[in-house]
Amino acid sequence: FDEHVQPNDHPNESHLSANDSGGAIFLNDSGDGVWKLAGINYAVDDLYAMPDIASEFAAAIFDARGYYTYDGTNFTLISGPDPVPTGFYDSRISSELAWIGSVIATPQVGFEGNFLTLTYNKLLVPNSDLTYTVEQSSDLMNWTTATTQDEPGAVTGDIQVIKAKIPVGAGTHLFARLRVTRPPPPPATNLHSPAAPVKMVPIDD
């Protein structure tokens, strides 16, 4: 830490250590004081103390010069005139939002009068982030989008209970399922694709 070119030019310095996996990365990207969960800590770069596979170790290193990297075949000495910090990685929340939404949804099937009901937990995010679609089938093979009467329920934090009511009609079989999808993101304007892990490089000279 604190190898500055100018005073306080690197105010945010960090790295991961043992047991940090599963921890959170928060961002205040809107400038409105609201911090948002952006990622979950995943890993750090692997290093090798010497050109020997038995010397493998993972660590938070702010200057890796003198150690070796290994690509599965060759060892390469890390060198150079300036400190070489290792990086740490996080899994993006945004790219896994549909999966998170599907896990949280926990849909439950019921029956009310002449309606089949599907009650689920919905993340309160814009439709551009997540789309919830109730589908129906009479044979579990062919599915169509159901025409539902939605009854919004209780809100807890960022989750709202939704009861979707599907008319049973004259059919003898009716099945329902919930599909949670994330619309394709706009074309990337930087080097990282939306689904790629984020590499966080410690700021250090």
Side-chain angles (χ1 to χ4, degrees):
F1 290 110
D2 300 325
E3 293 189 22
H4 303 292
V5 175
Q6 311 232 344
N8 299 318
D9 60 350
H10 294 156
N12 301 309
E13 299 173 317
S14 65
H15 216 319
L16 301 184
S17 189
N19 299 317
D20 282 337
S21 293
I25 292 290
F26 293 94
L27 293 177
N28 185 357
D29 61 347
S30 59
D32 58 5
V34 177
W35 288 87
K36 301 176 182 179
L37 180 63
I40 300 297
N41 296 337
Y42 175 66
V44 299
D45 286 328
D46 289 334
L47 295 175
Y48 301 83
M50 60 188 73
D52 183 343
I53 193 65
S55 67
E56 176 185 2
F57 68 94
I61 302 291
F62 285 86
D63 186 359
R65 290 176 297 178
Y67 295 108
Y68 289 79
T69 60
Y70 181 60
D71 62 7
T73 303
N74 301 308
F75 288 89
T76 302
L77 177 66
I78 301 171
S79 61
D82 300 316
V84 180
T86 61
F88 67 88
Y89 303 83
D90 287 75
S91 299
R92 288 181 188 266
I93 292 297
S94 60
S95 60
E96 301 298 335
L97 197 58
W99 176 81
I100 294 170
S102 69
V103 172
I104 292 174
T106 58
Q108 301 293 320
V109 175
F111 195 76
E112 286 185 12
N114 198 37
F115 293 93
L116 182 73
T117 64
L118 191 69
T119 303
Y120 60 93
N121 298 316
K122 179 181 180 179
L123 276 172
L124 296 178
V125 296
N127 291 336
S128 58
D129 291 338
L130 280 186
T131 300
Y132 290 78
T133 306
V134 176
E135 298 179 338
Q136 68 180 62
S137 173
S138 60
D139 57 10
L140 290 177
M141 294 177 61
N142 301 294
W143 293 86
T144 59
T145 300
T147 300
T148 65
Q149 298 178 21
D150 293 344
E151 297 181 356
V155 176
T156 303
D158 293 330
I159 298 176
Q160 182 174 33
V161 176
I162 302 292
K163 180 190 289 185
K165 301 172 69 174
I166 310 168
V168 174
T172 57
H173 296 87
L174 181 60
F175 305 93
R177 71 183 184 187
L178 179 67
R179 182 183 296 274
V180 184
T181 56
R182 179 172 179 257
T189 57
N190 53 39
L191 297 179
H192 296 288
S193 67
V198 182
K199 179 176 181 179
M200 310 295 288
V201 178
I203 300 174
D204 198 309
D205 298 309

